[in-house]
Amino acid sequence: MKLKFLLFIAFLSVISCKQETKISSSNVVSLSSKLNFREDKGNLHLESGKFKYDFRNNQLPFKKVILLNSSLLGFISEIGAENTVIGVSSPEYIYSSKINDLVTQGKIQNVGNEQKYDVEKIISLKPDAIFTNYIASFDNTYQLLKNNGIQVIFLDEYMEQKPLEKTAYLKLFGKLFGKNESAEKKYLEIEKNYNDLKKLALRSKSQPKVLANEMYGDIWYLPGGKTFTANYIADANADYILKENAEEKALTMSFEEVYSKSKQTQYWVNVGNHISKQELLNINPFYGKLEVFNKGKIYGVTAKEKQKANDFFETGVVRSDLILKDYIKIFHPELLPDYQLTYMKELQ
């Protein structure tokens, strides 16, 4: 009898453990395959790629942060947390007028650039955290900062290939900066806009063929068929020339290979910050042989550019709905007759 009782208790213990595991896992908010977080008794547990972080409830919300990548500023701006930023790198590449004003006023410090960060200045600013993309060659710098009690948070949003999953980083920033409600509301708004636009694109009976990116030297870096750009083109109901490809990274091709694949292409997008077709020819005369160069339409991402700064790489990181809207306007202008492009501009 005693043995049966012990077995029964053991059985209950196993069931209890399983239930606790289930409850714990149900609390996980998965923003993408690369980013998730969960809350436990007021503490926040974050997993970003291979990195894990634990924040106690008395550490949040952050009040003083440094950003080493301008792309992350898009999330900060979207939730209205610019006043928490005390340092940035390479401010000349920042588009935000508010951030630039704070830099001019000395309220935000320049802490260096991607070649060399001013570690002493960063330490003296005593930030609650530093946000950056992970770069292996800076491991020694990261370790030095950590040794001085500074939290370094790696967020590699540039590796996300699904537009709405990149936008979803907003939810994490909402948690970290005490803007949870506004971040959630903004995400739901962008998500609804995006999905409504996808449905709108399907109304068009045409599915134009599309080429993307440009050459660097002798190599054309074409987005793979499952990349960020390819997903946008598909959601805009257009026919990307590498749509059957399964890569989530850029593919390298010669001009001859692209030439053979791009026949009957009607649109060429993401040609960088070029402003004219002549400028493209000056860089590479071979472009003139492309059918799309002579008969199609070509678009760069220059509509919101100020000197070295380009908002496509800042707020565009968050506003996936506006980027999709740009693509739909380009491929199916009849569906959005009154809309003016936000980030993209046709080369003349």
Side-chain angles (χ1 to χ4, degrees):
M1 187 71 179
K2 184 177 180 182
L3 177 60
K4 288 184 178 179
F5 178 76
L6 290 173
L7 288 172
F8 179 69
I9 293 297
F11 174 74
L12 286 180
S13 298
V14 171
I15 294 298
S16 176
C17 288
K18 287 185 176 179
Q19 287 179 336
E20 286 178 7
T21 301
K22 184 176 181 181
I23 291 171
S24 176
S25 64
S26 69
N27 290 335
V28 175
V29 177
S30 180
L31 303 183
S32 75
S33 62
K34 298 177 177 63
L35 185 71
N36 68 75
F37 65 84
R38 66 181 176 86
E39 292 179 281
D40 177 28
K41 298 179 181 179
N43 300 320
L44 185 71
H45 307 282
L46 168 65
E47 289 189 24
S48 177
K50 64 181 181 180
F51 301 99
K52 295 183 180 182
Y53 308 91
D54 295 297
F55 303 107
R56 297 185 301 276
N57 54 13
N58 64 348
Q59 292 178 285
L60 300 175
F62 291 141
K63 295 180 174 61
K64 298 192 304 178
V65 299
I66 292 174
L67 302 179
L68 301 183
N69 300 90
S70 61
S71 61
L72 298 175
L73 275 171
F75 299 101
I76 293 288
S77 297
E78 202 65 44
I79 61 173
E82 293 98 334
N83 289 329
T84 65
V85 181
I86 59 171
V88 295
S89 69
S90 303
E92 66 272 19
Y93 290 102
I94 294 174
Y95 187 87
S96 167
S97 296
K98 187 167 185 178
I99 294 293
N100 281 318
D101 287 344
L102 291 170
V103 171
T104 301
Q105 295 167 22
K107 294 179 180 179
I108 294 179
Q109 298 295 309
N110 179 358
V111 298
N113 55 53
E114 58 187 12
Q115 275 73 49
K116 184 175 176 58
Y117 296 121
D118 189 335
V119 175
E120 289 185 3
K121 180 180 281 190
I122 291 174
I123 294 171
S124 69
L125 288 171
K126 298 180 180 179
D128 297 331
I130 291 176
F131 289 87
T132 184
N133 300 147
Y134 174 71
I135 302 174
S137 60
F138 278 100
D139 271 338
N140 290 338
T141 300
Y142 301 144
Q143 192 56 54
L144 181 57
L145 292 170
K146 292 175 185 178
N147 291 344
N148 280 273
I150 296 176
Q151 178 74 71
V152 182
I153 302 174
F154 301 112
L155 293 178
D156 292 334
E157 90 297 331
Y158 71 95
M159 296 178 68
E160 299 291 352
Q161 303 304 329
K162 296 179 180 178
L164 282 176
E165 289 189 354
K166 184 176 290 194
T167 296
Y169 278 53
L170 261 178
K171 297 181 182 182
L172 173 63
F173 277 84
K175 289 288 182 185
L176 297 176
F177 289 86
K179 303 272 189 176
N180 188 48
E181 188 175 332
S182 59
E184 185 70 28
K185 182 179 179 181
K186 177 57 70 173
Y187 173 78
L188 291 174
E189 176 188 322
I190 294 172
E191 180 186 45
K192 183 181 185 305
N193 290 346
Y194 194 97
N195 289 328
D196 287 347
L197 285 163
K198 277 180 67 175
K199 293 175 184 176
L200 176 66
L202 292 174
R203 293 184 190 176
S204 178
K205 295 180 180 179
S206 68
Q207 198 175 50
K209 195 171 179 180
V210 181
L211 171 66
N213 290 14
E214 59 180 312
M215 295 187 75
Y216 292 92
D218 297 328
I219 303 297
W220 198 308
Y221 293 88
L222 277 170
K226 299 297 180 183
T227 57
F228 194 60
T229 300
N231 285 326
Y232 267 126
I233 294 171
D235 288 346
N237 192 25
D239 181 17
Y240 177 48
I241 67 169
L242 292 184
K243 67 178 181 180
E244 301 301 329
N245 179 270
E247 292 288 345
E248 289 190 348
K249 60 184 180 181
L251 305 179
T252 57
M253 291 189 179
S254 66
F255 175 82
E256 290 73 18
E257 289 175 300
V258 175
Y259 177 81
S260 66
K261 291 179 178 293
S262 64
K263 293 176 181 177
Q264 297 182 324
T265 296
Q266 296 159 267
Y267 295 95
W268 179 7
V269 298
N270 291 28
V271 294
N273 61 348
H274 306 299
I275 59 175
S276 71
K277 295 172 72 173
Q278 185 59 51
E279 185 180 329
L280 278 181
L281 279 182
N282 293 342
I283 294 169
N284 193 330
F286 287 112
Y287 287 147
K289 296 183 178 181
L290 294 171
E291 186 174 333
V292 67
F293 184 91
N294 296 297
K295 297 181 181 180
K297 290 180 175 288
I298 306 173
Y299 290 83
V301 289
T302 58
K304 295 187 74 177
E305 194 173 44
K306 293 187 300 189
Q307 297 176 337
K308 294 182 178 182
N310 191 323
D311 202 29
F312 177 79
F313 303 106
E314 202 165 308
T315 65
V317 173
V318 188
R319 295 304 303 267
S320 52
D321 55 338
L322 293 179
I323 291 181
L324 179 61
K325 199 169 187 178
D326 273 11
Y327 280 124
I328 294 173
K329 174 67 175 183
I330 290 169
F331 305 143
H332 312 290
E334 75 284 357
L335 296 178
L336 295 166
D338 300 320
Y339 174 66
Q340 299 296 315
L341 295 175
T342 300
Y343 298 107
M344 302 179 196
K345 189 174 182 180
E346 184 177 2
L347 274 67
Q348 302 297 325

